[in-house]
């Protein structure tokens, strides 16, 4: 910022009131980081102002003023990202919409209208209270609606109903100029010109600030069970996945996990993983309207599993049991985090998942590094963890990462299916998409944000 | 075209071979129209060349040459559109990809790779042969993949799995410059920067030419039935729809129809509509993995229908019976077409469908015009037909149309949920979306197609 912080802060105090303009570093510490492992996360800039507006009108005035002064604006959500996408890497404004957290459920249309600062937990709760269900579960429930949409979040329950993009039917957004756009609505079909809404979903805060969204909900399922299928041989587990999907059963989630990491995660939270047979396992969540429907699907899966050499399946039926399984599964990341350098989210065609794993094994042997993997097998989406060795970041980590990226792309995949480009993957985008595609993206950025004030230095390199 | 047709044709003969360059009008008659009612369809231009390339490379060379010569290019598919979107309204090139019609089914990933010139019938057949299913059915099976994607087609079976956008996972497209882009792939998750693919879906041939697509397929359903629910009171029928969806049953299709038009359609094809009780009817298609699943869903629907005062439901179980019902339903449009001026496709939140119908009744009374309606009730998508009176286009047709559009938008909807803007709705776009949104769309058009050679005069007014 060329202007003095005090001068700028004064302008914003006039817009949103002095108590919502924070300039003291001590009160903004938690806004300077996300869930990216410490050693990979970019540092926050020195001169920052944290703003907490209460309305779309205030967001509009803030952006208009920032745009006129050419001050960078870093929109943040729940700061649960894994690629440093919301870190304020330049002097400027941190924009938190946490006060804008209202959710209205429209029971008749099975939709929710949620302000961007509402959390995933808020949305799950509001849907539940209205007798409805928001199926997607991209990890940390502290994630906010604005962030979930900006990053097109995925997670464990994307097999049946898709990723965040598939849920968003309407958006209210504020452009860098302060103009407010209303796109879509509680509609299933909409062909009014170009689909700006889908262009904005996944644009990581670089095109506009999302202030509100219309989100599709589903009826609560009458019955849900979680199956654990143990395998001695990983390739048998992987081969099971497309066979399940071809059977006509569409589970809510199909997760691939390995016993070593499950036991670590269980230990980390003082629990025990219930299935100790089989080093590779599939966790399958089934939901349906009735017990009959779900148990008949269980039978189909058990048959497919048996054909693919699975051990005896374990079925968790009570809510407590199912939640325990998911809790342990969700804590693999936490258990590994202290020793983690980076977590990748390569996505390949489902049928190439086994090839990707074999390739990662080779890389692991070649460089002598521990590369724990698990992931959303039903989506072809694998999380590969780059770990410290003896508490230190291995010297060859760059080569290891590059080799894994290259394998993913060689197998017809992409280097990020969930986490996005953010800050950590910036240098990679031009390796894996064509110059022409990148130049179209850059021109779109210029149209939306000609002064490059919105989350600068993310997705594209600065300048 | 400022150059002489012969001179231009010669250039293209060099690219794709003389037999695929058609300059005689008599051989291009069927390429000069789509399914838009005669009285509303814009006339084709006088000086046209029809090109039929056989590969993406040839499409690329054609576009490059056309772009250099600033010659308009009108990409056509199966010419089944209803808003004149593919009519070559200026002197230039008609580009038909009908020779590019290869389809490869990837059974393991439940995806098909289809060239743009393959028809909907080809895709349905290829999926079926591989033991898989393409659920969407946007009417005429002569529609081509490129057109289905360019218009983000919808139709009767969008309730369970969504519209065309939800099926497309990858695209190969050619830009006006001849550059070829490969976007996405057989992937369920992909967050590699801005989503150009979704921006292109529904862009009606104005941004680039789609040459190939990766399309998601589903397993064949083990069982399918079609229910007809008769109602004396239209509002009871409409009220049934959200109640079904809240029950947890998700049918493939929920259609609203009226007995008068059904009888006309049946007569038109020499058949009889099987249910003569109830002037308003819902047609519901259910599919599932097993008979148990489908019949249990039937029971739920019958209960909901009874609560909403439906008469005795009729269940069609055999394939023949179900096809007969759909055939009659699909012929409403054909039966009305000769007397039709325009067919609208207003889409509102599902809960406002009854209000939209009431409003249309008022308009009908006010202007003394017959306005038959039917539509995809599960999507809030209603087809309203503007009809001739005594064989003539009514004088007040513009006012009638405007009043219906206004009602749709007032109820939270859009003026087109399916057919798109094309040529017929150009003058309306700026009435219903903001200047800022329209200007972003125009700038995107300029980025992709700086010389405005691709389908000029569609979506936006020329110049």
């Amino acid at each position: 910022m060329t202007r003095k912080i005090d001068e700028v802060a004064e302008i914003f105090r006039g817009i949103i009131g002095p108590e919502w303009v924070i300039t003291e570093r001590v009160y903004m510490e938690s806004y300077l980081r996300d869930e990216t492992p410490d050693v990979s996360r970019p540092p926050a800039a020195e001169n920052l102002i944290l703003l907490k507006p209460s309305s779309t009108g205030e967001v509009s005035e803030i952006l208009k003023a920032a745009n006129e002064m050419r001050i960078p604006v870093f929109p943040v959500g729940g700061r649960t990202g894994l690629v440093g996408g919301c870190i304020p890497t330049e002097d400027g404004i941190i924009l938190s919409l946490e006060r804008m957290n209202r959710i209205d459920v429209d029971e008749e249309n099975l939709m929710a209208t949620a302000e961007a600062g509402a959390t995933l937990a808020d949305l799950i709760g509001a849907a539940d209270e209205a007798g409805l269900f928001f199926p997607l579960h991209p990890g940390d429930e502290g994630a906010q609606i604005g962030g979930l949409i900006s990053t097109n979040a995925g997670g464990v329950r994307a097999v049946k109903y898709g990723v965040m993009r598939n849920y968003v039917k309407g958006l209210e957004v504020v452009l860098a100029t302060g103009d407010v756009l209303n796109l879509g609505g509680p509609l299933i079909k909409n062909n009014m010109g170009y689909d700006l809404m889908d262009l904005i979903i996944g644009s990581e805060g670089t095109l506009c600030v999302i202030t509100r969204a219309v989100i599709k909900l589903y009826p609560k399922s009458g019955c849900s069970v979680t199956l654990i299928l143990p395998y001695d041989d990983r390739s048998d587990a992987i081969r099971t996945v497309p066979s399940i999907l071809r059977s006509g059963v569409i589970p809510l989630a199909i997760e691939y996990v390995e016993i070593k990491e499950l036991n670590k995660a269980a230990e980390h939270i003082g629990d025990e993983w219930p299935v100790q047979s089989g080093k590779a396992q599939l966790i399958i969540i089934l939901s349906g309207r009735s017990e009959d429907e779900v148990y008949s699907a269980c039978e189909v899966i058990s048959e497919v599993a048996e054909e693919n050499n699975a051990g005896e399946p374990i079925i968790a039926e009570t809510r407590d049991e199912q939640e325990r399984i998911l809790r342990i599964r969700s804590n693999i990341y936490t258990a590994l985090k202290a020793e983690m350098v980076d977590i990748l989210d390569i996505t390949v065609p489902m049928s190439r998942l086994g090839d990707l794993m074999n390739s990662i094994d080779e890389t692991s042997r070649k460089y002598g590094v521990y590369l724990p993997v698990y992931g959303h097998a039903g989506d072809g989406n694998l999380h590969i963890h780059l770990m410290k060795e003896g508490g230190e970041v291995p010297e060859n980590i760059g080569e290891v990462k590059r080799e894994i990226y290259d394998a993913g792309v060689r197998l017809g995949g992409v280097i990020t299916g969930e986490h996005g480009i953010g800050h950590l993957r910036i240098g990679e985008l031009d390796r894996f998409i064509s110059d022409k595609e990148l130049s179209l993206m850059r021109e779109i950025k210029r149209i939306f944000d000609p002064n490059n004030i919105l989350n600068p230095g993310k997705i594209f390199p600065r300048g």
Side-chain angles (χ1 to χ4, degrees), chain A:
Chain A
M1 276 190 276
T2 48
R3 300 185 187 221
K4 288 227 168 69
I5 280 216
D6 288 348
E7 191 190 330
V8 170
E10 201 48 38
I11 292 168
F12 291 116
R13 284 186 195 106
I15 296 174
I16 60 172
E19 66 272 45
W20 306 112
V21 177
I22 292 113
T23 53
E24 284 171 85
R25 192 87 171 180
V26 65
Y27 297 122
M28 61 173 84
E29 279 303 332
S30 75
Y31 295 84
L32 306 178
R33 64 176 84 96
D34 62 2
E35 288 295 325
T36 307
D38 292 344
V39 292
S40 294
R41 199 174 52 238
E46 279 307 309
N47 302 299
L48 293 162
I49 302 175
L50 169 59
L51 302 181
K52 300 184 178 182
S54 68
S55 69
T56 302
E58 288 183 359
V59 172
S60 166
E61 283 188 69
I62 289 169
L63 290 186
K64 194 157 181 274
N67 195 37
E68 278 163 11
M69 294 185 283
R70 307 288 190 269
I71 299 176
V73 176
F74 297 90
V76 299
R79 289 92 71 200
T80 60
L82 294 162
V83 288
C86 70
I87 308 293
T89 42
E90 299 179 19
D91 290 349
I93 290 160
I94 303 170
L95 185 66
S96 173
L97 271 52
E98 65 199 73
R99 293 170 66 211
M100 295 170 62
N101 62 356
R102 191 188 162 99
I103 298 179
D104 293 304
V105 176
D106 172 355
E107 293 172 43
E108 204 160 18
N109 290 303
L110 293 95
M111 302 261 181
T113 300
E115 287 186 319
T119 63
L120 176 57
D122 295 337
L123 180 62
I124 292 170
D128 190 65
E129 255 177 58
L132 295 170
F133 179 41
F134 178 69
L136 199 67
H137 200 275
D140 195 322
E141 292 188 7
Q144 291 174 12
I145 302 301
L148 292 168
I149 298 172
S150 294
T151 59
N152 185 28
V156 293
R157 296 202 297 222
V159 180
K160 191 166 184 175
Y161 301 109
V163 295
M164 197 64 199
R165 180 180 303 287
N166 303 101
Y167 289 86
V168 179
K169 299 298 164 193
L171 283 183
E172 178 193 77
V173 304
V174 184
L175 300 175
T177 50
D179 288 289
V180 178
L181 294 189
N182 274 289
L183 307 168
L187 304 169
I188 300 300
K189 290 173 171 169
N190 179 3
N191 276 341
M192 292 284 285
Y194 300 158
D195 182 9
L196 302 184
M197 189 175 80
D198 269 292
L199 181 64
I200 289 166
I201 298 169
S203 65
E204 305 189 27
T206 65
L207 294 183
C208 53
V209 174
I210 294 166
T211 46
R212 196 198 312 263
V214 179
I215 296 167
K216 191 166 162 48
L217 301 175
Y218 286 85
K220 269 187 199 172
S221 56
C223 176
S224 162
V225 305
T226 300
L227 281 166
I228 303 176
L229 307 174
Y231 293 83
D232 289 328
D233 186 338
R234 180 177 73 191
S235 57
D236 285 330
I238 295 302
R239 235 196 320 271
T240 303
V241 180
S243 301
I244 291 174
L245 292 173
R246 274 199 307 271
S247 77
V249 170
I250 310 185
L252 212 48
I254 307 179
E255 295 287 296
Y256 173 85
V257 278
E258 295 188 0
I259 189 85
K260 184 172 168 186
E261 287 75 33
L262 286 167
N263 285 337
K264 267 192 199 172
E267 196 189 324
H268 184 73
I269 56 169
D271 201 341
E272 246 175 72
W273 183 247
V275 186
Q276 290 299 323
S277 64
K279 79 182 218 309
Q281 302 185 355
L282 293 179
I283 305 175
I284 294 169
I285 307 177
L286 283 167
S287 72
R289 215 169 37 73
S290 67
E291 283 197 8
D292 282 356
E293 190 184 321
V294 172
Y295 284 94
S296 132
C298 271
E299 271 173 45
V300 174
I301 290 180
S302 299
E303 276 168 38
V304 172
E306 204 185 327
E307 282 163 21
N308 286 285
N309 310 316
E312 193 62 34
I314 280 77
I315 304 184
E317 294 162 299
T318 67
R319 193 171 170 150
D320 278 358
E321 281 176 299
Q322 296 191 65
E323 280 179 358
R324 178 182 166 212
I325 288 169
L326 252 194
R327 193 167 45 245
I328 297 175
R329 158 65 188 85
S330 300
N331 271 285
I332 299 182
Y333 177 72
T334 335
L336 296 174
K337 196 180 170 193
E339 288 299 305
M340 202 183 294
V341 180
D342 199 350
I343 169 171
L344 307 185
D345 58 316
I346 311 276
T347 302
V348 294
M350 188 177 46
S351 65
R352 310 309 297 271
L353 209 52
D355 295 330
L356 179 61
M357 287 183 178
N358 293 339
S359 166
I360 289 162
D361 280 354
E362 258 177 58
T363 303
S364 168
R365 275 193 298 272
K366 180 171 160 191
Y367 293 95
V369 289
Y370 169 43
L371 294 172
V373 300
Y374 59 78
H376 317 304
D379 310 314
N381 179 201
L382 201 67
H383 292 307
I384 304 116
H385 301 75
L386 307 180
M387 306 297 288
K388 295 178 191 166
E389 303 276 335
E392 299 292 325
V393 177
E395 257 178 52
N396 53 14
I397 200 86
E399 288 158 72
V400 171
K401 203 190 291 193
R402 207 165 306 125
E403 203 163 294
I404 297 171
Y405 284 157
D406 288 344
V409 173
R410 197 174 57 240
L411 294 167
V414 289
I415 68 163
T416 173
E418 290 198 324
H419 303 162
I421 303 297
H423 181 93
L424 262 63
R425 318 273 176 247
I426 284 182
E428 306 297 334
L429 199 57
D430 62 349
R431 289 215 304 134
F432 298 112
I433 66 177
S434 69
D435 289 351
K436 191 66 203 178
E437 190 178 343
L438 201 57
S439 105
L440 287 170
M441 289 185 191
R442 280 179 177 282
E443 290 184 68
I444 287 170
K445 165 72 173 170
R446 198 153 38 234
I447 287 174
F448 275 81
D449 179 22
N451 300 316
N452 193 20
I453 66 157
L454 288 169
N455 211 4
K458 307 296 160 52
I459 298 187
F460 312 108
R462 179 61 149 153

